[in-house]
Amino acid sequence: MASELPTPTEYVVHHLTNLSVGEGVWTFHPDTIVVSLLTGFLFIGVFWAVARKATAGVPGKLQSFVELVVEFIDDQVKGGFHGPRAFVAPLALTIFVWVLLWNLMDLVPVDWVPYFTWKVFGLEYTRIVPSADINAPFGLSISVLLLIIFYGFKGKGLGYLKELVTHPFGSNPLLWIPNLVLNIVELLAKPLSLALRLFGNLYAAELIFVLIALLPAWIQFVPGGAWAVYHILVVPLQAFIFMTLTIVYLSLAYEEH
Amino acid sequence: MEVSLGTLIAQGITFFIFVYVTMKYVWPPIMQAIVDRREKIADGLAAAERGKTELEKAGARVEDLLRDARSQAQEIVEQANRRANSILEEARSEGQKQRDRQLATAQAEIEQEVSKAREELRSQVALIAVAGAERILAREIDAKAHQDLLQQLATEI
C-alpha cells in the first residue's frame, strides 16, 4: 500500500513487515502487541463473562461451548501433568485459546486490516497475525521456559539443580560439565522449538495467503478458499501442539523420571 | 522479521497477566459449574435407577398380591361350590324323606279308604240281598221272574 503500484516483491515484503516503534533491541511492534492484546481481551472477556454467570443447571450455548473447551483442556492436562492443576490447567487454557485466536487472524483477508489502518490511521505497515511475528511466539515460549525452571524447582527442590549436573551421563564429577551443557541445550531447545514451530507454520501460511493475493482477482477464491479450509486444520492444531508440549515440558520438569 | 525485545517482553508480561486472570476468575467458576452439573446428573441417574428398582419391587409385590387374591378367590369359589352342593344334597335327601313320608301317609289313607269302601260295600250287599229276598217273597213263585231277579242280583253284587 506504500506506493501506488507495488511490484510483487514490494507487495510481499510490505505484507511481511511489522509496524515498528523504537530503536535496536528496544523496538516495539505495536501491531503485534495491539492485536494480541485485543485477542487476549476477547478470550478473557468472553470466558470471564461466562464464568461469572456459570450455572450448574441447564447451560446456555455459549456456556456449553466454553465448558467444552475447558473440559477438553482439563482432560489434556489431567493426562499429561500429575501435579496440582490449579495453575497449570488455566495456563494451558490461556495458551490454547490465545494462540488459537492469534492463528485465526490469519484467516482475515490479507489486505483488509492493513488497508484500513493505512487509510484511517496512516500507518505504513500492519501485520495482524501475532504468531507470524517471531516475537510473539518467543515471548510466549520464553515465559514457558521460565515456568519450566520454576516447576523444576517446585517439584524437586534443589534436586533439580543436581539433576542438571548429574543427568543423563552420571554423577561422576568429571561428567558435571558435559551434563550441564547438554541439559542447558535441551532446556533452551524447548522454547526454541515451541516458538519456531508455531512461527514457521503461521509465517508460511501468511506468506501463501499473500502470494494468493497476487493472483488475478477472479481466480483468487479457488486457491484462497482451499488454503483457508486447510487452515481450519492448521490453526487449532498448532495451538494444540503448543499447549500440549507446554504441559509435557512442565510435567518433565516437575516429576521424577 | 526482526527480533524486537520490547514486543517479546510485552508479550510475556501480557501472557502472565492473562494466565493470572484465567486462573483467578475464569477457570474456577466454570470448573465448579461442570463439577456441580456432573454431580446433579449423577444424582439424577442414581435417582432414576432407584426409581426403577423400586418400580420393579412394587411390580413384584403387585404380582404377589394378585396371585394371593386369585388363589383366595379360587378358594372362596370352591368353598361356595362345596357349600352349594351340600345344601343341594341336604335338600334333596330332605325332599326324598318328605316324599317317602307323604307317600306312606297317602298309601295308608288309600288303604283305609279301600277297607272302608269294602266294609260299606259288604253292608250294602247285605242290604241288597235282604231287599232282593223281600222282593222275591213279595212276588211269589214265578220261575221266569225269579230267573230275572236272580240275574239282576248277580249283576248288582
Side-chain angles (χ1 to χ4, degrees), chain A residues 32-47:
Chain A
T32 298
I33 291 175
V34 167
V35 172
S36 53
L37 276 177
L38 285 179
T39 50
F41 279 119
L42 178 68
F43 154 59
I44 289 283
V46 170
F47 275 57

mmCIF file of all heavy atoms in Angstrom, chain A residues 32-47:
data_model
loop_
_atom_site.group_PDB
_atom_site.id
_atom_site.type_symbol
_atom_site.label_atom_id
_atom_site.label_comp_id
_atom_site.label_asym_id
_atom_site.label_seq_id
_atom_site.Cartn_x
_atom_site.Cartn_y
_atom_site.Cartn_z
ATOM 1 N N THR A 32 1.550 -6.105 16.412
ATOM 2 C CA THR A 32 1.512 -7.400 17.111
ATOM 3 C C THR A 32 0.966 -7.236 18.525
ATOM 4 O O THR A 32 0.112 -8.002 18.970
ATOM 5 C CB THR A 32 2.934 -7.988 17.176
ATOM 6 O OG1 THR A 32 3.382 -8.204 15.843
ATOM 7 C CG2 THR A 32 2.946 -9.286 17.942
ATOM 8 N N ILE A 33 1.468 -6.208 19.220
ATOM 9 C CA ILE A 33 1.050 -6.030 20.613
ATOM 10 C C ILE A 33 -0.436 -5.727 20.702
ATOM 11 O O ILE A 33 -1.172 -6.333 21.501
ATOM 12 C CB ILE A 33 1.882 -4.907 21.272
ATOM 13 C CG1 ILE A 33 3.324 -5.392 21.426
ATOM 14 C CG2 ILE A 33 1.298 -4.550 22.633
ATOM 15 C CD1 ILE A 33 4.273 -4.334 21.947
ATOM 16 N N VAL A 34 -0.915 -4.843 19.839
ATOM 17 C CA VAL A 34 -2.330 -4.462 19.918
ATOM 18 C C VAL A 34 -3.222 -5.647 19.555
ATOM 19 O O VAL A 34 -4.195 -5.936 20.250
ATOM 20 C CB VAL A 34 -2.623 -3.251 18.999
ATOM 21 C CG1 VAL A 34 -4.123 -3.067 18.840
ATOM 22 C CG2 VAL A 34 -1.991 -1.994 19.571
ATOM 23 N N VAL A 35 -2.877 -6.350 18.473
ATOM 24 C CA VAL A 35 -3.730 -7.482 18.069
ATOM 25 C C VAL A 35 -3.718 -8.564 19.129
ATOM 26 O O VAL A 35 -4.763 -9.128 19.468
ATOM 27 C CB VAL A 35 -3.279 -8.042 16.701
ATOM 28 C CG1 VAL A 35 -4.039 -9.327 16.398
ATOM 29 C CG2 VAL A 35 -3.510 -7.026 15.609
ATOM 30 N N SER A 36 -2.533 -8.841 19.703
ATOM 31 C CA SER A 36 -2.528 -9.904 20.711
ATOM 32 C C SER A 36 -3.255 -9.456 21.970
ATOM 33 O O SER A 36 -3.903 -10.273 22.623
ATOM 34 C CB SER A 36 -1.110 -10.379 21.012
ATOM 35 O OG SER A 36 -0.294 -9.287 21.340
ATOM 36 N N LEU A 37 -3.185 -8.167 22.273
ATOM 37 C CA LEU A 37 -3.966 -7.683 23.425
ATOM 38 C C LEU A 37 -5.462 -7.812 23.144
ATOM 39 O O LEU A 37 -6.230 -8.268 23.993
ATOM 40 C CB LEU A 37 -3.622 -6.217 23.722
ATOM 41 C CG LEU A 37 -2.384 -5.984 24.577
ATOM 42 C CD1 LEU A 37 -2.116 -4.487 24.720
ATOM 43 C CD2 LEU A 37 -2.548 -6.612 25.955
ATOM 44 N N LEU A 38 -5.856 -7.408 21.931
ATOM 45 C CA LEU A 38 -7.283 -7.492 21.593
ATOM 46 C C LEU A 38 -7.787 -8.932 21.664
ATOM 47 O O LEU A 38 -8.831 -9.209 22.255
ATOM 48 C CB LEU A 38 -7.523 -6.930 20.185
ATOM 49 C CG LEU A 38 -7.464 -5.406 20.056
ATOM 50 C CD1 LEU A 38 -7.688 -4.994 18.604
ATOM 51 C CD2 LEU A 38 -8.496 -4.749 20.959
ATOM 52 N N THR A 39 -7.017 -9.848 21.054
ATOM 53 C CA THR A 39 -7.445 -11.251 21.088
ATOM 54 C C THR A 39 -7.452 -11.773 22.524
ATOM 55 O O THR A 39 -8.348 -12.515 22.919
ATOM 56 C CB THR A 39 -6.527 -12.125 20.210
ATOM 57 O OG1 THR A 39 -5.169 -11.854 20.548
ATOM 58 C CG2 THR A 39 -6.742 -11.837 18.744
ATOM 59 N N GLY A 40 -6.430 -11.358 23.281
ATOM 60 C CA GLY A 40 -6.381 -11.772 24.682
ATOM 61 C C GLY A 40 -7.587 -11.281 25.452
ATOM 62 O O GLY A 40 -8.210 -12.031 26.208
ATOM 63 N N PHE A 41 -7.944 -10.014 25.240
ATOM 64 C CA PHE A 41 -9.111 -9.487 25.968
ATOM 65 C C PHE A 41 -10.402 -10.116 25.474
ATOM 66 O O PHE A 41 -11.345 -10.293 26.247
ATOM 67 C CB PHE A 41 -9.165 -7.964 25.856
ATOM 68 C CG PHE A 41 -8.233 -7.286 26.826
ATOM 69 C CD1 PHE A 41 -7.208 -6.479 26.391
ATOM 70 C CD2 PHE A 41 -8.384 -7.510 28.195
ATOM 71 C CE1 PHE A 41 -6.335 -5.875 27.288
ATOM 72 C CE2 PHE A 41 -7.518 -6.907 29.100
ATOM 73 C CZ PHE A 41 -6.491 -6.093 28.647
ATOM 74 N N LEU A 42 -10.424 -10.470 24.192
ATOM 75 C CA LEU A 42 -11.597 -11.175 23.682
ATOM 76 C C LEU A 42 -11.766 -12.499 24.431
ATOM 77 O O LEU A 42 -12.855 -12.833 24.920
ATOM 78 C CB LEU A 42 -11.420 -11.438 22.182
ATOM 79 C CG LEU A 42 -12.556 -12.205 21.508
ATOM 80 C CD1 LEU A 42 -13.808 -11.349 21.466
ATOM 81 C CD2 LEU A 42 -12.158 -12.629 20.104
ATOM 82 N N PHE A 43 -10.659 -13.217 24.539
ATOM 83 C CA PHE A 43 -10.681 -14.501 25.269
ATOM 84 C C PHE A 43 -11.109 -14.298 26.723
ATOM 85 O O PHE A 43 -12.069 -14.900 27.196
ATOM 86 C CB PHE A 43 -9.291 -15.144 25.187
ATOM 87 C CG PHE A 43 -8.959 -16.079 26.306
ATOM 88 C CD1 PHE A 43 -9.745 -17.191 26.551
ATOM 89 C CD2 PHE A 43 -7.861 -15.846 27.127
ATOM 90 C CE1 PHE A 43 -9.454 -18.060 27.589
ATOM 91 C CE2 PHE A 43 -7.561 -16.711 28.165
ATOM 92 C CZ PHE A 43 -8.365 -17.813 28.397
ATOM 93 N N ILE A 44 -10.384 -13.401 27.418
ATOM 94 C CA ILE A 44 -10.680 -13.183 28.833
ATOM 95 C C ILE A 44 -12.118 -12.687 29.004
ATOM 96 O O ILE A 44 -12.848 -13.133 29.887
ATOM 97 C CB ILE A 44 -9.688 -12.136 29.418
ATOM 98 C CG1 ILE A 44 -8.298 -12.752 29.522
ATOM 99 C CG2 ILE A 44 -10.164 -11.647 30.778
ATOM 100 C CD1 ILE A 44 -8.111 -13.688 30.668
ATOM 101 N N GLY A 45 -12.505 -11.745 28.126
ATOM 102 C CA GLY A 45 -13.836 -11.158 28.259
ATOM 103 C C GLY A 45 -14.926 -12.208 28.124
ATOM 104 O O GLY A 45 -15.794 -12.324 28.991
ATOM 105 N N VAL A 46 -14.855 -12.986 27.042
ATOM 106 C CA VAL A 46 -15.899 -13.983 26.817
ATOM 107 C C VAL A 46 -15.902 -15.021 27.922
ATOM 108 O O VAL A 46 -16.945 -15.334 28.512
ATOM 109 C CB VAL A 46 -15.703 -14.656 25.439
ATOM 110 C CG1 VAL A 46 -16.630 -15.850 25.305
ATOM 111 C CG2 VAL A 46 -15.959 -13.667 24.317
ATOM 112 N N PHE A 47 -14.722 -15.528 28.234
ATOM 113 C CA PHE A 47 -14.671 -16.603 29.228
ATOM 114 C C PHE A 47 -15.057 -16.101 30.613
ATOM 115 O O PHE A 47 -15.715 -16.787 31.382
ATOM 116 C CB PHE A 47 -13.265 -17.245 29.239
ATOM 117 C CG PHE A 47 -13.106 -18.306 28.196
ATOM 118 C CD1 PHE A 47 -13.329 -18.021 26.859
ATOM 119 C CD2 PHE A 47 -12.780 -19.605 28.536
ATOM 120 C CE1 PHE A 47 -13.199 -18.992 25.892
ATOM 121 C CE2 PHE A 47 -12.642 -20.593 27.575
ATOM 122 C CZ PHE A 47 -12.852 -20.279 26.260
#
